[in-house]
Amino acid sequence: MSLPDRLLFVDVETTGLFSSDRVVSLGIIDLDTRPLREGRILADSYHLVFDPGRKSHPRAEAVHGWSDWVLRHQDPFSHHAASLLPLFESGASIVAHNAGFDWKFIAREFELAETPLVPQSCFCTMQAWRDQIGGKSSLDAVLREIGLQRSAKTHGALEDAWLAMQVYLWLHGVQLPADDALPRYVPSNLKAAPQQPPGPLPRRKPRRRSAAPTLPKPRGAAAGSEHEPTPGLALSDESRKLIMAATRPTAALMLWVARADGVTDDSEVAAVASLVGAELGRLGLPRDADIEQDLAAEFFEIEPTPQLVDAAARVLVRDERARAELTAWLRLVMAKEE
């Protein structure tokens, strides 16, 4: 199968799931696909870590592994935006696992650095896996299917970009050379932090849950792009309450099942966001990526206690539509491995 001459595989780790959260680290694999025809791999890699200006959510920190103390001693994204911009606007096709999530955060960082990106075309390996293979589509699950795995429990941006490349090429029937290996893992801009002093650190900027600024949206028919955001859409308190009430029973049971393995992965977050988006459509409201992400993030803040799960189950017994949504999600996320 023919491939674009250049592919840019990207991944970000963030301070949390809300649209106002910030990028902690960025990994990029810039792949020239032409040598693959000769059994060679030619790729440049970029791995950067940043001071996000806020403390990570505890669950996010457990995923990316960067402590607030170390991050306080790094450069902000804005210090590197100008040097990164040509890479993103070079014409290479951008690929990521759950591309909508990564693109949104990358674009927002450039926007905040007053170096806005032009719209880019994005290919989502998570959606492509769902379309071509089906079943579980988190990166960990997909890697197991193709005989790969992360090197550690924490998620590294460069490693995940490298693994997204492996998934993309597998989906396109391309076998990588046997000597392919993850490039140098340590971020090139990492600054050593002094020993952390005893006691609590000075308070960071409060974590906000407001929507992000209007961002350039992906263009082109990219796998995983089920909808395009509506810039500047505001959601009234009444509509917000209606959406939360309508989706809460299904979301509560989804969270209860999702947390059974102790991990919140990208496919589960995307599934809850899609559930919120469907409810926006039923209420006659435009689909909006930031709103869907923020409401999904709020659901992931809920602790699915036995009492909440029991109440949600009682609602689902009487709601055929909600039962169908939960069944579809279970097929997607909890598909049995062959």
Side-chain angles (χ1 to χ4, degrees):
M1 183 177 293
S2 62
L3 301 175
D5 288 343
R6 277 188 62 211
L7 292 163
L8 209 63
F9 298 91
V10 301
D11 185 80
V12 295
E13 300 302 328
T14 66
T15 58
L17 298 175
F18 287 91
S19 62
S20 56
D21 274 298
R22 302 294 299 274
V23 170
V24 168
S25 60
L26 169 66
I28 304 172
I29 303 294
D30 185 0
L31 176 69
D32 183 341
T33 65
R34 289 166 292 187
L36 289 174
R37 305 179 188 116
E38 304 168 1
R40 296 185 297 112
I41 185 167
L42 180 61
D44 293 320
S45 63
Y46 306 84
H47 192 195
L48 301 171
V49 63
F50 313 107
D51 177 7
R54 66 178 58 197
K55 184 175 173 59
S56 295
H57 189 287
R59 284 199 292 271
E61 185 174 325
V63 170
H64 60 62
W66 293 102
S67 72
D68 187 41
W69 173 250
V70 170
L71 292 177
R72 286 170 186 249
H73 292 83
Q74 309 310 313
D75 293 329
F77 186 97
S78 58
H79 285 200
H80 299 273
S83 61
L84 287 169
L85 186 65
L87 189 62
F88 281 94
E89 298 189 343
S90 62
S93 297
I94 296 174
V95 182
H97 201 78
N98 197 5
F101 181 90
D102 293 272
W103 167 260
K104 184 186 305 179
F105 280 100
I106 291 168
R108 181 169 189 255
E109 291 297 338
F110 277 103
E111 183 82 7
L112 293 173
E114 299 183 349
T115 315
L117 286 170
V118 297
Q120 301 290 319
S121 209
C122 299
F123 182 97
C124 180
T125 51
M126 184 171 75
Q127 187 62 42
W129 182 271
R130 290 176 180 173
D131 294 341
Q132 296 182 38
I133 309 299
K136 292 182 180 180
S137 58
S138 69
L139 186 55
D140 279 331
V142 170
L143 293 174
R144 285 194 297 271
E145 289 293 325
I146 65 176
L148 297 172
Q149 63 180 5
R150 286 189 172 100
S151 61
K153 289 184 177 180
T154 52
H155 296 189
L158 182 64
E159 182 178 35
D160 281 4
W162 184 259
L163 292 169
M165 179 185 73
Q166 306 269 357
V167 174
Y168 177 92
L169 295 177
W170 188 94
L171 287 168
H172 287 80
V174 178
Q175 185 172 1
L176 278 173
D179 60 348
D180 70 292
L182 178 67
R184 184 174 179 270
Y185 183 74
V186 178
S188 59
N189 68 330
L190 178 64
K191 295 181 178 180
Q195 183 175 356
Q196 183 172 341
L201 298 177
R203 184 173 174 80
R204 284 277 211 175
K205 179 181 178 181
R207 288 174 53 83
R208 293 175 56 208
R209 298 185 179 184
S210 58
T214 300
L215 302 176
K217 56 191 177 185
R219 57 175 168 79
S225 300
E226 297 177 0
H227 66 279
E228 293 186 342
T230 303
L233 176 66
L235 190 67
S236 69
D237 288 342
E238 182 181 358
S239 295
R240 187 185 192 89
K241 289 177 182 177
L242 283 173
I243 293 169
M244 295 293 283
T247 54
R248 186 181 180 93
T250 309
L253 288 176
M254 289 166 70
L255 291 175
W256 182 66
V257 175
R259 291 182 182 175
D261 59 2
V263 177
T264 299
D265 65 44
D266 41 19
S267 66
E268 292 162 355
V269 177
V272 175
S274 179
L275 178 69
V276 171
E279 193 58 37
L280 280 170
R282 279 192 286 270
L283 291 174
L285 297 170
R287 297 285 298 268
D288 181 86
D290 285 338
I291 289 174
E292 291 169 33
Q293 180 178 327
D294 287 342
L295 292 183
E298 284 193 34
F299 277 122
F300 274 86
E301 294 289 295
I302 297 171
E303 185 62 37
T305 62
Q307 293 81 6
L308 177 59
V309 171
D310 180 68
R314 293 176 186 276
V315 171
L316 287 170
V317 166
R318 303 188 300 271
D319 190 334
E320 184 177 351
R321 185 192 68 200
R323 289 200 305 274
E325 289 170 342
L326 181 63
T327 301
W329 181 82
L330 287 170
R331 288 184 182 136
L332 175 67
V333 178
M334 302 300 293
K336 292 183 178 180
E337 300 178 14
E338 298 296 334

